[in-house]
C-alpha cells in the first residue's frame, strides 16, 4: 500500500535520506563508544567505562527509533557497515587512543550528530513533519548535552 500520511513522496524521500545519514552517524558513534567502553584504561577507567556504557546504550535505542521513522516514511533504512560507511560523517578511530583522546573524539562525534540532525530540520519543517522534527530535537538535545558533559571532563 502507498504511504498516505500528508507528506508528499518527494518530501518523505528527502527526509528519509537525511535520517539515513543521522542513522549512519548514530550507529558509527555507537560502535566507537562501545569500542572505547571495552578498551579504556587509566585512572578514570571505572567512571569512563560506566559512562561509555550509558552512552552506547542510549545510542542503541536511538538507532532503532531513527530506522523505524525512515520505515514509517515509506523508505528502507540502511543497515550494513558498507552502507553506514558511505553515509556517515564520523571518522573511524585509528588504534586505541588514550582515555583523554577517547573523550575528545566522542565530543567530536556527538557534535557531528547534532550538526547532522540540525541540517535535516529545514527539510522536515518544510514538510510539516512534526514526528521527524521531534526525533531531531531529541537527538540534538542528547548529543549537545553529552558533548558538553564530555568536554567538561577534559577542560
Amino acid at each position: 500500500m502507498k504511504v498516505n500520511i500528508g507528506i508528499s513522496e518527494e518530501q518523505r524521500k528527502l527526509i528519509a535520506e537525511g535520517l539515513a545519514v543521522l542513522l549512519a552517524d548514530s550507529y558509527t558513534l555507537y560502535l566507537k563508544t562501545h569500542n572505547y567502553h571495552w578498551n579504556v584504561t587509566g585512572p578514570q577507567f571505572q567512571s569512563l567505562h560506566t559512562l561509555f556504557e550509558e552512552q552506547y546504550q542510549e545510542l542503541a535505542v536511538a538507532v532503532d527509533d531513527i530506522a523505524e521513522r525512515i520505515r514509517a516514511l515509506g523508505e528502507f533504512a540502511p543497515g550494513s557497515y558498507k552502507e553506514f560507511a558511505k553515509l556517515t560523517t564520523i571518522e573511524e578511530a585509528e588504534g586505541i587512543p588514550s582515555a583523554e583522546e577517547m573523550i575528545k573524539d566522542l565530543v567530536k562525534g556527538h557534535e557531528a550528530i547534532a550538526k547532522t540532525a540540525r541540517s535535516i530540520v529545514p527539510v522536515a519543517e518544510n514538510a510539516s513533519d512534526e514526528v521527524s522534527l521531534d526525533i531531531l530535537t531529541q537527538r540534538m538535545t542528547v548529543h549537545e548535552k553529552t558533548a558538553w558533559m564530555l568536554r567538561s571532563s577534559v577542560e
Side-chain angles (χ1 to χ4, degrees):
M1 293 178 61
K2 285 192 167 206
V3 176
N4 185 13
I5 58 173
I7 302 171
S8 74
E9 184 177 349
E10 181 181 326
Q11 289 173 315
R12 286 187 288 106
K13 189 170 191 65
L14 285 172
I15 295 164
E17 286 172 358
L19 290 174
V21 175
L22 184 65
L23 177 61
D25 282 354
S26 299
Y27 200 84
T28 302
L29 188 60
Y30 163 83
L31 289 173
K32 183 180 283 195
T33 306
H34 212 153
N35 174 31
Y36 290 170
H37 163 77
W38 290 327
N39 292 302
V40 67
T41 60
Q44 294 181 290
F45 167 78
Q46 185 60 46
S47 61
L48 290 177
H49 181 76
T50 301
L51 179 64
F52 295 163
E53 182 174 14
E54 291 169 5
Q55 292 174 0
Y56 78 70
Q57 288 177 344
E58 193 282 330
L59 284 161
V61 172
V63 297
D64 196 52
D65 291 343
I66 296 163
E68 288 178 355
R69 182 61 188 155
I70 294 169
R71 293 297 295 132
L73 290 168
E75 299 295 324
F76 288 100
S80 70
Y81 295 130
K82 187 175 183 178
E83 289 174 295
F84 290 151
K86 287 180 189 175
L87 293 168
T88 190
T89 66
I90 296 175
E91 292 183 27
E92 284 288 332
E94 296 289 327
I96 305 298
S98 68
E100 185 170 325
E101 289 305 312
M102 287 178 179
I103 295 167
K104 289 178 181 179
D105 192 31
L106 292 177
V107 168
K108 290 178 189 173
H110 285 282
E111 290 176 339
I113 293 176
K115 288 188 259 184
T116 296
R118 187 165 279 107
S119 73
I120 306 163
V121 168
V123 181
E125 281 179 336
N126 187 47
S128 299
D129 181 0
E130 287 80 8
V131 177
S132 294
L133 285 168
D134 183 53
I135 290 170
L136 295 169
T137 301
Q138 290 175 34
R139 299 316 312 150
M140 287 185 290
T141 301
V142 167
H143 293 292
E144 289 176 8
K145 182 176 182 178
T146 302
W148 157 64
M149 295 179 111
L150 287 167
R151 193 180 313 104
S152 295
S153 70
V154 292
E155 289 182 346

Short mmCIF file of all heavy atoms in Angstrom, two decimals, residues 40-83:
data_model
loop_
_atom_site.label_atom_id
_atom_site.label_comp_id
_atom_site.label_asym_id
_atom_site.label_seq_id
_atom_site.Cartn_x
_atom_site.Cartn_y
_atom_site.Cartn_z
N VAL A 40 39.03 1.34 27.23
CA VAL A 40 39.55 2.47 28.01
C VAL A 40 40.45 1.94 29.14
O VAL A 40 40.20 0.87 29.70
CB VAL A 40 38.41 3.36 28.57
CG1 VAL A 40 37.58 2.64 29.62
CG2 VAL A 40 38.96 4.68 29.09
N THR A 41 41.50 2.68 29.43
CA THR A 41 42.42 2.34 30.52
C THR A 41 42.78 3.62 31.25
O THR A 41 42.53 4.73 30.77
CB THR A 41 43.71 1.67 30.02
OG1 THR A 41 44.38 2.57 29.12
CG2 THR A 41 43.43 0.35 29.31
N GLY A 42 43.41 3.46 32.41
CA GLY A 42 43.92 4.61 33.15
C GLY A 42 43.14 4.88 34.42
O GLY A 42 42.22 4.14 34.78
N PRO A 43 43.52 5.97 35.09
CA PRO A 43 42.93 6.28 36.40
C PRO A 43 41.42 6.53 36.35
O PRO A 43 40.74 6.36 37.36
CB PRO A 43 43.67 7.53 36.88
CG PRO A 43 44.66 7.89 35.84
CD PRO A 43 44.56 6.90 34.72
N GLN A 44 40.89 6.92 35.21
CA GLN A 44 39.45 7.17 35.08
C GLN A 44 38.71 5.95 34.55
O GLN A 44 37.54 6.05 34.17
CB GLN A 44 39.20 8.34 34.12
CG GLN A 44 39.69 9.68 34.61
CD GLN A 44 39.37 10.74 33.58
OE1 GLN A 44 39.96 10.76 32.49
NE2 GLN A 44 38.41 11.59 33.89
N PHE A 45 39.37 4.78 34.55
CA PHE A 45 38.78 3.60 33.93
C PHE A 45 37.34 3.36 34.37
O PHE A 45 36.44 3.27 33.54
CB PHE A 45 39.61 2.34 34.21
CG PHE A 45 38.85 1.09 33.84
CD1 PHE A 45 38.75 0.69 32.52
CD2 PHE A 45 38.19 0.34 34.81
CE1 PHE A 45 38.02 -0.43 32.16
CE2 PHE A 45 37.45 -0.79 34.45
CZ PHE A 45 37.37 -1.17 33.13
N GLN A 46 37.11 3.23 35.66
CA GLN A 46 35.78 2.83 36.14
C GLN A 46 34.71 3.83 35.73
O GLN A 46 33.66 3.45 35.22
CB GLN A 46 35.78 2.65 37.67
CG GLN A 46 34.47 2.11 38.21
CD GLN A 46 34.10 0.74 37.66
OE1 GLN A 46 34.92 -0.17 37.59
NE2 GLN A 46 32.85 0.58 37.25
N SER A 47 34.98 5.12 35.94
CA SER A 47 33.95 6.12 35.61
C SER A 47 33.72 6.21 34.10
O SER A 47 32.58 6.31 33.65
CB SER A 47 34.32 7.48 36.19
OG SER A 47 35.55 7.95 35.66
N LEU A 48 34.78 6.13 33.30
CA LEU A 48 34.61 6.21 31.85
C LEU A 48 33.99 4.93 31.29
O LEU A 48 33.15 4.99 30.39
CB LEU A 48 35.95 6.49 31.16
CG LEU A 48 36.50 7.90 31.37
CD1 LEU A 48 37.87 8.04 30.70
CD2 LEU A 48 35.53 8.96 30.88
N HIS A 49 34.38 3.79 31.82
CA HIS A 49 33.79 2.52 31.39
C HIS A 49 32.27 2.56 31.59
O HIS A 49 31.50 2.21 30.69
CB HIS A 49 34.42 1.38 32.20
CG HIS A 49 33.94 0.02 31.86
ND1 HIS A 49 34.34 -0.67 30.72
CD2 HIS A 49 33.10 -0.82 32.51
CE1 HIS A 49 33.77 -1.85 30.70
NE2 HIS A 49 33.00 -1.97 31.77
N THR A 50 31.84 3.05 32.74
CA THR A 50 30.41 3.16 33.05
C THR A 50 29.74 4.23 32.19
O THR A 50 28.65 4.00 31.64
CB THR A 50 30.22 3.49 34.55
OG1 THR A 50 30.82 2.44 35.32
CG2 THR A 50 28.76 3.61 34.91
N LEU A 51 30.37 5.37 32.05
CA LEU A 51 29.82 6.46 31.24
C LEU A 51 29.65 6.03 29.78
O LEU A 51 28.59 6.26 29.18
CB LEU A 51 30.72 7.69 31.32
CG LEU A 51 30.28 8.90 30.51
CD1 LEU A 51 28.95 9.45 31.01
CD2 LEU A 51 31.36 9.98 30.54
N PHE A 52 30.68 5.42 29.22
CA PHE A 52 30.60 4.99 27.83
C PHE A 52 29.50 3.94 27.64
O PHE A 52 28.82 3.93 26.61
CB PHE A 52 31.95 4.45 27.33
CG PHE A 52 33.05 5.47 27.28
CD1 PHE A 52 34.38 5.07 27.20
CD2 PHE A 52 32.80 6.84 27.33
CE1 PHE A 52 35.41 5.98 27.13
CE2 PHE A 52 33.83 7.78 27.29
CZ PHE A 52 35.15 7.34 27.18
N GLU A 53 29.30 3.07 28.64
CA GLU A 53 28.23 2.09 28.55
C GLU A 53 26.87 2.77 28.50
O GLU A 53 26.01 2.41 27.68
CB GLU A 53 28.29 1.12 29.73
CG GLU A 53 27.22 0.05 29.67
CD GLU A 53 27.36 -1.00 30.77
OE1 GLU A 53 28.11 -0.77 31.74
OE2 GLU A 53 26.72 -2.05 30.64
N GLU A 54 26.66 3.76 29.35
CA GLU A 54 25.40 4.51 29.33
C GLU A 54 25.18 5.16 27.97
O GLU A 54 24.06 5.15 27.44
CB GLU A 54 25.41 5.59 30.42
CG GLU A 54 25.36 5.07 31.84
CD GLU A 54 25.65 6.14 32.88
OE1 GLU A 54 25.79 7.33 32.51
OE2 GLU A 54 25.77 5.78 34.06
N GLN A 55 26.26 5.70 27.40
CA GLN A 55 26.14 6.38 26.13
C GLN A 55 25.85 5.42 24.98
O GLN A 55 25.00 5.70 24.13
CB GLN A 55 27.40 7.21 25.85
CG GLN A 55 27.52 8.38 26.80
CD GLN A 55 28.82 9.13 26.65
OE1 GLN A 55 29.68 8.79 25.83
NE2 GLN A 55 29.00 10.17 27.45
N TYR A 56 26.53 4.28 24.93
CA TYR A 56 26.24 3.38 23.81
C TYR A 56 24.87 2.74 23.95
O TYR A 56 24.21 2.46 22.95
CB TYR A 56 27.36 2.37 23.55
CG TYR A 56 27.47 1.16 24.45
CD1 TYR A 56 26.52 0.14 24.43
CD2 TYR A 56 28.56 1.02 25.31
CE1 TYR A 56 26.64 -0.98 25.24
CE2 TYR A 56 28.68 -0.10 26.12
CZ TYR A 56 27.72 -1.09 26.08
OH TYR A 56 27.85 -2.19 26.88
N GLN A 57 24.39 2.54 25.17
CA GLN A 57 23.04 2.01 25.34
C GLN A 57 21.99 3.02 24.86
O GLN A 57 21.00 2.63 24.23
CB GLN A 57 22.80 1.62 26.80
CG GLN A 57 23.54 0.36 27.19
CD GLN A 57 23.39 -0.01 28.65
OE1 GLN A 57 22.96 0.79 29.47
NE2 GLN A 57 23.74 -1.24 28.99
N GLU A 58 22.21 4.30 25.13
CA GLU A 58 21.30 5.33 24.65
C GLU A 58 21.31 5.37 23.13
O GLU A 58 20.26 5.49 22.49
CB GLU A 58 21.70 6.70 25.24
CG GLU A 58 20.65 7.79 25.06
CD GLU A 58 20.61 8.40 23.68
OE1 GLU A 58 21.67 8.45 23.00
OE2 GLU A 58 19.52 8.84 23.25
N LEU A 59 22.48 5.25 22.53
CA LEU A 59 22.60 5.26 21.07
C LEU A 59 21.92 4.04 20.45
O LEU A 59 21.34 4.14 19.35
CB LEU A 59 24.07 5.32 20.66
CG LEU A 59 24.73 6.69 20.81
CD1 LEU A 59 26.24 6.56 20.83
CD2 LEU A 59 24.27 7.63 19.70
N ALA A 60 21.96 2.90 21.12
CA ALA A 60 21.30 1.70 20.60
C ALA A 60 19.80 1.91 20.46
O ALA A 60 19.19 1.48 19.47
CB ALA A 60 21.60 0.50 21.51
N VAL A 61 19.21 2.58 21.42
CA VAL A 61 17.78 2.89 21.35
C VAL A 61 17.53 3.90 20.23
O VAL A 61 16.58 3.77 19.45
CB VAL A 61 17.26 3.42 22.71
CG1 VAL A 61 15.82 3.91 22.59
CG2 VAL A 61 17.39 2.35 23.79
N ALA A 62 18.40 4.89 20.13
CA ALA A 62 18.24 5.94 19.12
C ALA A 62 18.28 5.39 17.70
O ALA A 62 17.47 5.80 16.86
CB ALA A 62 19.32 7.01 19.30
N VAL A 63 19.20 4.47 17.42
CA VAL A 63 19.29 3.96 16.05
C VAL A 63 18.00 3.22 15.67
O VAL A 63 17.56 3.32 14.52
CB VAL A 63 20.55 3.09 15.79
CG1 VAL A 63 21.82 3.89 15.96
CG2 VAL A 63 20.57 1.84 16.64
N ASP A 64 17.40 2.56 16.63
CA ASP A 64 16.14 1.87 16.34
C ASP A 64 15.03 2.88 16.05
O ASP A 64 14.28 2.72 15.08
CB ASP A 64 15.76 0.98 17.52
CG ASP A 64 14.70 -0.03 17.16
OD1 ASP A 64 14.89 -0.75 16.15
OD2 ASP A 64 13.69 -0.10 17.86
N ASP A 65 14.95 3.94 16.84
CA ASP A 65 13.93 4.98 16.62
C ASP A 65 14.10 5.65 15.25
O ASP A 65 13.12 5.87 14.54
CB ASP A 65 14.01 6.05 17.72
CG ASP A 65 13.56 5.54 19.08
OD1 ASP A 65 12.89 4.48 19.15
OD2 ASP A 65 13.90 6.21 20.08
N ILE A 66 15.34 5.95 14.90
CA ILE A 66 15.61 6.62 13.63
C ILE A 66 15.26 5.70 12.46
O ILE A 66 14.59 6.11 11.50
CB ILE A 66 17.08 7.09 13.55
CG1 ILE A 66 17.36 8.14 14.64
CG2 ILE A 66 17.41 7.64 12.16
CD1 ILE A 66 18.84 8.36 14.92
N ALA A 67 15.69 4.44 12.54
CA ALA A 67 15.41 3.48 11.46
C ALA A 67 13.90 3.27 11.31
O ALA A 67 13.39 3.21 10.18
CB ALA A 67 16.12 2.16 11.74
N GLU A 68 13.20 3.17 12.43
CA GLU A 68 11.75 2.98 12.35
C GLU A 68 11.05 4.20 11.75
O GLU A 68 10.05 4.06 11.04
CB GLU A 68 11.20 2.63 13.72
CG GLU A 68 11.58 1.22 14.14
CD GLU A 68 11.11 0.82 15.52
OE1 GLU A 68 10.54 1.67 16.25
OE2 GLU A 68 11.31 -0.36 15.89
N ARG A 69 11.58 5.39 12.00
CA ARG A 69 10.98 6.59 11.37
C ARG A 69 11.20 6.56 9.87
O ARG A 69 10.29 6.91 9.09
CB ARG A 69 11.56 7.88 11.98
CG ARG A 69 10.93 9.14 11.40
CD ARG A 69 9.44 9.19 11.65
NE ARG A 69 8.80 10.28 10.93
CZ ARG A 69 7.53 10.29 10.59
NH1 ARG A 69 6.73 9.31 10.93
NH2 ARG A 69 7.03 11.31 9.92
N ILE A 70 12.37 6.14 9.44
CA ILE A 70 12.62 6.01 8.00
C ILE A 70 11.61 5.05 7.38
O ILE A 70 11.03 5.34 6.32
CB ILE A 70 14.08 5.54 7.74
CG1 ILE A 70 15.08 6.62 8.18
CG2 ILE A 70 14.28 5.17 6.26
CD1 ILE A 70 16.53 6.14 8.21
N ARG A 71 11.36 3.95 8.04
CA ARG A 71 10.39 2.97 7.54
C ARG A 71 8.98 3.55 7.53
O ARG A 71 8.22 3.32 6.59
CB ARG A 71 10.44 1.68 8.38
CG ARG A 71 11.74 0.90 8.25
CD ARG A 71 11.98 0.41 6.82
NE ARG A 71 10.94 -0.56 6.49
CZ ARG A 71 10.22 -0.54 5.36
NH1 ARG A 71 10.43 0.38 4.44
NH2 ARG A 71 9.29 -1.45 5.16
N ALA A 72 8.61 4.30 8.56
CA ALA A 72 7.27 4.91 8.62
C ALA A 72 7.08 5.92 7.48
O ALA A 72 5.95 6.15 7.04
CB ALA A 72 7.04 5.58 9.97
N LEU A 73 8.17 6.49 7.01
CA LEU A 73 8.11 7.42 5.88
C LEU A 73 8.03 6.68 4.54
O LEU A 73 7.92 7.31 3.49
CB LEU A 73 9.32 8.36 5.90
CG LEU A 73 9.34 9.38 7.03
CD1 LEU A 73 10.71 10.06 7.11
CD2 LEU A 73 8.23 10.41 6.85
N GLY A 74 8.09 5.35 4.59
CA GLY A 74 7.94 4.56 3.37
C GLY A 74 9.23 4.23 2.66
O GLY A 74 9.21 3.75 1.52
N GLU A 75 10.35 4.44 3.32
CA GLU A 75 11.66 4.15 2.72
C GLU A 75 12.32 3.02 3.50
O GLU A 75 11.92 2.73 4.63
CB GLU A 75 12.55 5.40 2.73
CG GLU A 75 11.99 6.57 1.95
CD GLU A 75 11.89 6.31 0.45
OE1 GLU A 75 12.77 5.63 -0.10
OE2 GLU A 75 10.91 6.78 -0.17
N PHE A 76 13.34 2.42 2.91
CA PHE A 76 14.10 1.39 3.60
C PHE A 76 15.27 2.02 4.33
O PHE A 76 15.94 2.92 3.80
CB PHE A 76 14.58 0.31 2.63
CG PHE A 76 13.46 -0.57 2.15
CD1 PHE A 76 12.89 -0.38 0.91
CD2 PHE A 76 12.97 -1.59 2.97
CE1 PHE A 76 11.85 -1.18 0.46
CE2 PHE A 76 11.91 -2.39 2.54
CZ PHE A 76 11.36 -2.18 1.29
N ALA A 77 15.53 1.55 5.53
CA ALA A 77 16.64 2.06 6.34
C ALA A 77 17.93 1.33 5.97
O ALA A 77 17.91 0.11 5.80
CB ALA A 77 16.34 1.86 7.82
N PRO A 78 19.04 2.07 5.86
CA PRO A 78 20.31 1.37 5.66
C PRO A 78 20.61 0.52 6.88
O PRO A 78 20.22 0.88 8.00
CB PRO A 78 21.32 2.52 5.50
CG PRO A 78 20.69 3.69 6.17
CD PRO A 78 19.20 3.50 6.03
N GLY A 79 21.30 -0.60 6.69
CA GLY A 79 21.54 -1.46 7.83
C GLY A 79 22.81 -2.28 7.76
O GLY A 79 22.94 -3.26 8.47
N SER A 80 23.75 -1.87 6.92
CA SER A 80 25.01 -2.61 6.83
C SER A 80 26.19 -1.68 7.09
O SER A 80 26.08 -0.47 6.91
CB SER A 80 25.16 -3.26 5.45
OG SER A 80 25.38 -2.27 4.46
N TYR A 81 27.30 -2.27 7.47
CA TYR A 81 28.51 -1.47 7.68
C TYR A 81 28.87 -0.72 6.39
O TYR A 81 29.26 0.45 6.44
CB TYR A 81 29.71 -2.36 8.05
CG TYR A 81 29.59 -3.07 9.37
CD1 TYR A 81 29.83 -4.43 9.46
CD2 TYR A 81 29.26 -2.39 10.54
CE1 TYR A 81 29.74 -5.10 10.66
CE2 TYR A 81 29.17 -3.05 11.75
CZ TYR A 81 29.42 -4.40 11.81
OH TYR A 81 29.33 -5.07 12.99
N LYS A 82 28.72 -1.40 5.27
CA LYS A 82 29.06 -0.79 3.98
C LYS A 82 28.20 0.46 3.72
O LYS A 82 28.72 1.50 3.33
CB LYS A 82 28.87 -1.82 2.87
CG LYS A 82 29.35 -1.38 1.52
CD LYS A 82 29.23 -2.51 0.51
CE LYS A 82 29.77 -2.11 -0.83
NZ LYS A 82 29.70 -3.21 -1.79
N GLU A 83 26.89 0.33 3.96
CA GLU A 83 26.01 1.49 3.75
C GLU A 83 26.33 2.60 4.75
O GLU A 83 26.37 3.77 4.39
CB GLU A 83 24.55 1.07 3.90
CG GLU A 83 24.03 0.21 2.77
CD GLU A 83 22.63 -0.28 3.05
OE1 GLU A 83 22.44 -1.06 4.01
OE2 GLU A 83 21.72 0.11 2.29
#
